[in-house]
Amino acid sequence: MKNKLLIVGSFPSEKRNIFGGIAKSCRILIESNHFSKFEIIEMDTSQISNPKPNLVKRFFNAIKRLINLIYINIVQKPGVVLIFCSDGFSAV
């Protein structure tokens, strides 16, 4: 049985015009052989549009992501969590 690894980072679909260092790092990790021993759970925290939505919309999206994080930890019980964040409000 593989250990579960939750990666909280940027996993945008190909349709969305989201780019950046965290999205590239997450993609590299998922494709890496080093992480093949884990059952990977992806939690997408990328922004919903480019340019960034207003602060109120971003706040409510952050609350939804926090609830989703708690839910994943309770239901799927990952053994390891890897969290990516940027500076500013992303780190909060």
Side-chain angles (χ1 to χ4, degrees):
M1 186 175 196
K2 292 183 175 183
N3 286 328
K4 294 181 183 179
L5 168 63
L6 170 61
I7 300 178
V8 180
S10 182
F11 298 100
S13 66
E14 295 295 324
K15 295 183 239 175
R16 293 184 10 209
N17 188 23
I18 305 299
F19 52 88
I22 292 177
K24 184 174 183 176
S25 296
C26 290
R27 189 172 48 253
I28 289 170
L29 283 177
I30 295 300
E31 296 169 356
S32 168
N33 288 333
H34 297 291
F35 288 86
S36 62
K37 62 184 174 184
F38 292 99
E39 176 186 333
I40 296 178
I41 305 164
E42 298 176 7
M43 182 177 158
D44 184 25
T45 59
S46 55
Q47 63 190 28
I48 59 173
S49 65
N50 197 8
K52 296 176 188 175
N54 66 44
L55 191 59
V56 173
K57 189 172 238 181
R58 289 169 59 197
F59 174 77
F60 283 110
N61 286 335
I63 296 298
K64 286 187 339 188
R65 286 191 295 266
L66 182 60
I67 292 168
N68 190 28
L69 178 64
I70 293 168
Y71 175 80
I72 290 172
N73 277 293
I74 291 171
V75 173
Q76 297 191 18
K77 296 179 175 54
V80 180
V81 179
L82 177 59
I83 301 176
F84 286 91
C85 66
S86 299
D87 59 349
F89 283 116
S90 176
V92 174

